[in-house]
Every structure is written in C-alpha cells, then in structure tokens.
Amino acid sequence: MRTYAGHSSAAESNALYRRNLAKGQTGLSVAFDLPTQTGYDPDHVLSRGEVGKVGVPIPHLGAMRRLFEDIPLSEMNTSMTINATAMWLLAMYQVAAEEQGVDASALAGTTQNDIIKEYLSRGTYVFPPEASLRLTTDMIAYTVANIPKWNPLNICSYHLQEAGATPVQELAFAMSTAIAVLDAVKDSGQVPDDQFEQVVGRISFFVNAGVRFVEEMCKMRAFGQLWEEITRDRYGVTDPKMRRFRYGVQVNSLGLTEAQPENNVQRIVLEMLGVTLSKNARARAVQLPAWNEALGLPRPWDQQWSLRLQQVLAYESDLLEYGDIFDGSHVVETKVAELVEGAKAEMDRVQAMGGAVAAVVSGYMKQELVTSHAERRARIESGEMKVVGLNSFIETEPSPLTADLDAAIMVADPKAEANAITDVQQWRSQRDQAAVDAALEVVQQQAKTDENLMAATLDAVRAGATVGEWSAALREVFGEYRAPTGVAGVSGVAEAGSELTAVREKVRQTGEELGGRLRFLVGKPGLDGHSNGAEQVAVRARDAGFEVIYQGIRLTPEQIVAAAVAEDVHVVGLSILSGSHMELVPDVQKGLADAGLTNVPIIVGGIIPDSDGRKLEAAGIAAVFTPKDFGMTDIMSRVVDEIRKANDLPV
C-alpha cells in the first residue's frame, strides 16, 4: 500500500515519508521533480518554475542521503518513478544504502525505467530511443547480477491510458514494449542464457484502471494471459514463477473531475475494485490518487484519505478471503477473449513495423493515442459519454470540501527552487572537481563503446557529480531527441455539427478581416511533458479552421516567443500542468511585449488553482482554462473572440 509522494525538498519529503509509514503505508513511492526526471540541475534555465513542484529534487548524493535519513533501506520496498535518468537514481540509491551499511544485494524495489511510454505520453525522455534502450539494457543486466530483488523495469501502461489509449491499445503497446526490451537484453549478450529467466521474472508492470469496471477487470485478466503466452512461447521460460504477471496499479486520473470533485472518491473506489476483485488478476501494489488531483497538489490529509480507502477494503471487507469469483463467467471469458484478440492484432502491426522503437520513431503509436483521445473527448462533448457533474447531473449543492479552494490543495514551497539552487551550488563547491571531471570522462568514453555504463555511473555518484552533469555528458555522446507530436493527420470530430460550423465561420471571417488565415501557436513551456491537453487543443483548433503551429514539449519562453514572431501568429496558447504557470506565463508575456506583439492574446490551460487563474487574468492573460472547461469547440469560439478584442474588432 503506497501513496505517490515527494515535493519541495529532500528534507520535507523525508518527513512526509516517515509520517506515511507511521500511518500504515507499507512501501515508498518516490515522485521526483521534472528537472531530476529530465536530467537538469535546479539552476538550469529549463528548470525555472519546475523545481520541487511535481516531486522532490534529487540532483546529487547528498540529497539522496537526506531523502532516506532515518529510513532503513534494508527494510524498504521503494518504487521510484524515474525513466530517462533511472540509471543515475538507482546508482545514488545504492550508494546511499551502502552508506547505511546495506549491501546492494539486499535492496528491494522498482525503477520505472519505461522509456518507450515517455515518447508517447509523459515526455520525460532525454536521449533518442536506441540510446535510451541501451541504458535500460545495461541496468537490467546489472541488477540481475548485483541487485537480484530489484525490479529494473516497470513497464508503465498507466500513462498510455492517460494519453487516451483504449484497453486494446494499452495491452498491445505495453506488451510490444516488453518485447522490445527483452529482445534488446537478449541481443546484448550481457546476460547468460541460463540467467535469462531471471530477467523475465524481474520485469513488472504498472497499469491503469479506469472507471469501466468490467472492461478494466477483464483487461487485467487479458494482461496475465498475454504475458503467460509471450514468456512461455517467445522466450521459452519454463519456471511458472518467472512467468507471473506482476503488476502494481495507480487508478485512473484522466477521469477525475474538477467539477463536483467529491464524485472522484467513488470513481477511485470503483477503479480500485477493478484490480482487486479478480484474485487471478489482482494487483500486488495499489496506489490511489487523491480526490482533489484535478484541482492541484494534494495535501497530506488527502493522501491519507486515499490510503484509508485501501485499508478499509483490505481489512474490513471480505474481498481477500475467497478465490476468483469470476472464474467460469461466460461474460468475462468472452470479453477477455475479445481483448486478447484485439491486442494480438495490434501487436502484429507494431512488430511488422520493426517493433516498438520503430513504431515510436515513425509516429505511429503516438498518432494512434492522439486519435483515441480525440474520439473520447468528442464523446464527452456530445454527451454520448456521460461524466457525472461535468456534462450531466451538473446541479449541485455547495461543497464544504471546496468552499475555500485555496485551502483545498497544498501549495508548493515558494522557496523550494531557491533553496535547491543554493544547495546544488554548495554541493559543487565542496567536492573534488578533478575527481568529478575524471569520472564523467569515463562515462562519456564508455558510452561510445558497448561497455555496461552502471559501474561508471556509480563512480560518478561517489565522486559527487550531479544529475545534470551526468546527463550532459551522455547528451554529448547520444544527442537529444524530439519525439513526434502525433497531431498531424488527426481529426478530432468525424463531422462538424452546427456549433463547430459556426466557429469555423468565425475563424474564416476574422482571418479575412485581418488579412489571412488565423494562426494559433500552441506552446509547452518548461519541462512539463504531459502534452495530452496541448495535443487535443491543436487538433480541435485545426478542425476549427486555424493554421496550427505546435512544436512539441520542453521549450523555453524565449523559444516560444521566437516561434510567435517567426510564424506571425494571432494567438498563443500555453499548456502547463506542472504548477510552473506563475513563473513561465509571465516570462512569455514579457517576451511577446518586448517583441512588439502587443495584439497577440495569450490563452493558458492546465491544472491552475482558482486564485492563480484570477491573478493571471488580472495581469492581462486573455483567458484561463482548467479541466472543468471540457467543451473544446466553446474554447475555440472564445479564442476567436479574444483575437478580435486584441485587434479592436467587434465581438
């Protein structure tokens, strides 16, 4: 039983972990901030506004020591949600444990380390797919030999569903990722054939459970069936224990609503039942989001509520006392067979392209997810898919939970970034720089060979290097990467209804009045890689008749301003879900003003607390949209109105 936690600083996160363990939590699930996840130190220009927001900053060994101070790592099962820089974080965890007197062989836990889904959903990739797969392979080979109780890869289909995946796509893309990694390990020759079963046995999965209970429960049974077949038939694994489908779950956040957020509690419970009721497909670890996740950062009390939901199910109900209550159900068997058949057909398509990496590079998998997400949004907008409190049953009594919205969420420590910058600069000043330089030189030289990079990375940790320095050394060898956006060629609506037709006419007419087609720049400033919303805005804007400029994720405010100038745009839309809006939006606003684009309105969307939204609008931001604003066509109409206002045209 876990809660996904970490914020502000190593010391504050350490105190939070110790409180959660005292409340009955049985494992740790560490959330790292975006700079740590994407290989930047807190004082890097791209880290501005992002330090300590969605997780804890851990740029160096000193911070890792503080994170686990007074927590015996010999007794912990620690899950770390880290991907591109997973090797670095595992190395720091191992060294911190050794300093506690714990041998690496005694460590238990998981590094997520699923880089494929980063190109498709969360966007915290750093290196090109082939180089990233090499780092994953090296880690797997190292842990099998040296940290045998560690799960070096946690294939994470969770974020695929958050990006719009259907159950069939979640099954197929996750299994395709597993095949790509296992084939790479086998081809590397680093693991002897007689130990390959151990590699398969240490692979775990992290899945999503949506609110469609029967379908999601059947999906989990389908996962187990597919994994059994793949491990037995493709890889020849004979030990049944090594073929077990081992998975943890966080239930769906995509379906949580800002409107009537109290309804999220029953959604979370239903989703939890989908991965616990069927004993033969039961999750080994469950972590639940908080009821107010669509509003902002949950408070410790909100996290406690999610933990208590699990404890009531486990200790008060009789759920865990019986065998699988769905065995023999014709309905369940038929649905599982349908999902398996669909997943196998999709897996065959991916394999025919050359496998998961090829399907990432070509943009196929990303475009499929964007399409599925667009179809889901269209069903919500039309009312075909009902979401209680959002597009149906919207009448409500005032909620005591949200009477004071500013108090209903946790506010990140405003001094976290400055403190982290001071800390990393002090760390650098107190180390042996020559030893750091020498260690990083070895990392670079070995990256140019087939040598396993884990030993060199451990030496760099011990020398005192930082996550930004390690990543920069590898960037020089591997290069950086910009993944396909998946937006090209996707239509968000099958046919335009009267509302979209009216908006198209407004776009066309306004363009004629301004002397050309309206151009809409969709920008993702900072390190927030959750691009689902930006992609859907881009798709619907194009459906509405805009010329859309969308360059993908991880841009500085200066790059966004430069694109606005170069493309002579009529509106700039910024999407930020990481909490960095109060730093990055004003930076873009100032840049546009300095460039003379005073008639280009700025639209902002994301997880933005109400008080922050009011401040942004008071500062001149044309409009702020949050998850409650689900009508994309209405948003497009508002965008045209703001363009007209900014250019002194009648509205």
Side-chain angles (χ1 to χ4, degrees):
M1 296 186 184
R2 310 177 191 269
T3 53
Y4 178 53
H7 67 93
S8 300
S9 71
E12 290 184 62
S13 298
N14 171 266
L16 176 63
Y17 295 161
R18 287 188 283 113
R19 286 199 302 272
N20 285 346
L21 290 168
K23 292 173 184 174
Q25 188 171 298
T26 57
L28 294 177
S29 183
V30 182
F32 296 101
D33 73 351
L34 288 174
T36 304
Q37 292 186 51
T38 52
Y40 294 107
D41 288 336
D43 54 355
H44 191 279
V45 61
L46 271 170
S47 299
R48 173 166 161 71
E50 308 282 15
V51 179
K53 287 283 173 63
V54 302
V56 58
I58 305 293
H60 55 75
L61 178 59
M64 184 64 85
R65 290 172 184 147
R66 286 196 294 274
L67 185 66
F68 293 108
E69 189 173 359
D70 296 326
I71 297 176
L73 296 185
S74 59
E75 301 172 16
M76 282 298 105
N77 188 302
T78 303
S79 171
M80 294 192 281
T81 301
I82 197 75
N83 297 282
T85 56
M87 179 179 285
W88 180 257
L89 271 297
L90 177 60
M92 288 201 293
Y93 188 82
Q94 177 180 327
V95 174
E98 289 170 351
E99 291 179 349
Q100 288 189 6
V102 181
D103 189 77
S105 62
L107 297 177
T110 301
T111 33
Q112 191 174 99
N113 203 20
D114 175 4
I115 199 64
I116 298 290
K117 65 94 175 48
E118 295 301 318
Y119 303 111
L120 303 175
S121 53
R122 287 183 70 247
T124 67
Y125 57 82
V126 175
F127 314 112
E130 294 83 359
S132 296
L133 198 56
R134 182 261 178 94
L135 291 174
T136 301
T137 299
D138 285 357
M139 268 190 68
I140 291 171
Y142 175 82
T143 54
V144 166
N146 298 281
I147 318 180
K149 292 193 287 185
W150 196 265
N151 300 312
L153 173 66
N154 186 228
I155 294 171
C156 188
S157 70
Y158 172 84
H159 292 96
L160 300 181
Q161 187 175 137
E162 297 292 298
T166 64
V168 164
Q169 288 171 330
E170 187 178 347
L171 285 162
F173 292 173
M175 291 300 168
S176 296
T177 296
I179 289 170
V181 173
L182 289 172
D183 283 358
V185 173
K186 208 168 190 43
D187 293 344
S188 75
Q190 293 192 61
V191 178
D193 289 344
D194 62 353
Q195 292 183 26
F196 193 73
E197 282 198 349
Q198 300 300 317
V199 173
V200 176
R202 295 317 305 177
I203 302 297
S204 61
F205 290 77
F206 187 70
V207 306
N208 204 323
V211 77
R212 289 174 56 81
F213 166 79
V214 173
E215 187 172 53
E216 293 294 319
M217 185 271 294
C218 290
K219 180 188 74 181
M220 296 321 308
R221 292 170 74 99
F223 255 129
Q225 182 176 324
L226 285 167
W227 188 239
E228 170 75 12
E229 292 180 15
I230 290 169
T231 54
R232 183 190 64 224
D233 300 341
R234 186 182 182 95
Y235 297 109
V237 178
T238 57
D239 185 347
K241 289 184 179 179
M242 296 296 106
R243 295 200 304 263
R244 283 178 181 165
F245 181 73
R246 301 180 310 117
Y247 82 99
V249 63
Q250 165 142 340
V251 306
N252 188 263
S253 293
L254 178 63
L256 302 184
T257 61
E258 180 184 11
Q260 297 183 26
E262 63 274 10
N263 296 331
N264 293 331
V265 176
Q266 53 263 36
R267 292 185 179 110
I268 291 167
V269 171
L270 265 175
E271 292 162 353
M272 176 173 54
L273 288 173
V275 292
T276 53
L277 269 182
S278 177
K279 184 176 182 180
N280 293 337
R282 183 172 290 155
R284 295 171 66 92
V286 177
Q287 61 188 46
L288 305 180
W291 67 276
N292 55 351
E293 187 170 302
L295 304 177
L297 189 65
R299 301 157 298 186
W301 182 85
D302 306 311
Q303 291 192 346
Q304 174 183 296
W305 191 356
S306 291
L307 177 62
R308 295 293 185 248
L309 292 178
Q310 292 192 62
Q311 290 168 329
V312 168
L313 180 145
Y315 299 116
E316 293 189 26
S317 83
D318 61 352
L319 177 67
L320 304 182
E321 297 174 13
Y322 297 94
D324 199 304
I325 60 176
F326 296 100
D327 281 352
S329 165
H330 298 302
V331 172
V332 169
E333 289 174 1
T334 300
K335 185 62 179 177
V336 171
E338 174 190 316
L339 291 172
V340 168
E341 181 182 5
K344 285 182 175 179
E346 184 62 46
M347 289 165 64
D348 288 344
R349 276 190 286 275
V350 171
Q351 292 306 307
M353 294 175 190
V357 170
V360 165
V361 173
S362 70
Y364 168 76
M365 287 204 287
K366 180 65 172 178
Q367 185 165 316
E368 290 297 293
L369 293 177
V370 173
T371 299
S372 295
H373 202 168
E375 291 170 353
R376 176 184 180 274
R377 288 203 59 86
R379 290 197 303 274
I380 292 174
E381 287 186 72
S382 69
E384 176 189 347
M385 177 179 173
K386 295 193 182 304
V387 181
V388 174
L390 184 70
N391 68 355
S392 60
F393 310 107
I394 57 177
E395 303 78 11
T396 182
E397 296 294 327
S399 169
L401 290 174
T402 56
D404 183 354
L405 281 174
D406 292 337
I409 57 173
M410 182 172 172
V411 178
D413 183 354
K415 298 178 182 177
E417 185 164 320
N419 291 341
I421 290 172
T422 298
D423 174 73
V424 77
Q425 290 174 348
Q426 286 180 345
W427 176 263
R428 292 194 198 111
S429 70
Q430 295 169 359
R431 66 190 184 178
D432 182 344
Q433 189 62 45
V436 172
D437 293 342
L440 292 173
E441 174 67 20
V442 173
V443 169
Q444 278 196 326
Q445 292 306 313
Q446 291 193 359
K448 298 172 184 176
T449 71
D450 293 332
E451 190 83 16
N452 189 302
L453 283 171
M454 194 69 195
T457 297
L458 282 161
D459 288 342
V461 167
R462 295 182 179 110
T466 66
V467 66
E469 292 166 335
W470 177 82
S471 300
L474 291 179
R475 280 184 171 101
E476 288 186 22
V477 179
F478 297 147
E480 291 202 64
Y481 187 71
R482 295 198 73 79
T485 65
V487 168
V490 176
S491 176
V493 287
E495 56 184 53
S498 59
E499 291 183 10
L500 183 56
T501 300
V503 173
R504 282 178 177 171
E505 178 57 26
K506 280 176 68 174
V507 171
R508 185 198 62 76
Q509 180 183 338
T510 303
E512 283 187 0
E513 292 178 63
L514 294 177
R517 188 179 177 192
L518 293 187
R519 290 177 295 282
F520 190 152
L521 173 63
V522 177
K524 287 285 297 176
L527 296 177
D528 170 32
H530 286 86
S531 57
N532 307 332
E535 291 152 6
Q536 295 306 312
V537 167
V539 169
R540 184 57 57 86
R542 194 176 59 211
D543 288 343
F546 285 95
E547 178 183 341
V548 176
I549 298 95
Y550 175 53
Q551 299 172 325
I553 63 172
R554 215 178 302 168
L555 299 170
T556 64
E558 292 75 16
Q559 288 172 319
I560 291 173
V561 170
V565 172
E567 301 288 348
D568 191 23
V569 301
H570 297 93
V571 62
V572 173
L574 303 177
S575 171
I576 305 174
L577 288 87
S578 62
S580 59
H581 46 271
M582 295 307 293
E583 292 86 3
L584 298 179
V585 172
D587 287 354
V588 174
Q589 187 179 26
K590 182 178 184 302
L592 290 175
D594 291 346
L597 300 185
T598 54
N599 64 336
V600 176
I602 299 175
I603 314 292
V604 181
I607 306 295
I608 299 174
D610 190 54
S611 58
D612 286 353
R614 292 194 300 269
K615 290 174 187 174
L616 290 171
E617 290 178 338
I621 298 306
V624 175
F625 297 104
T626 64
K628 69 179 182 300
D629 303 300
F630 68 93
M632 282 284 194
T633 300
D634 292 339
I635 290 173
M636 292 305 133
S637 181
R638 173 75 183 277
V639 169
V640 183
D641 289 344
E642 295 302 331
I643 293 173
R644 295 185 68 84
K645 289 178 192 175
N647 289 276
D648 298 320
L649 297 175
V651 176

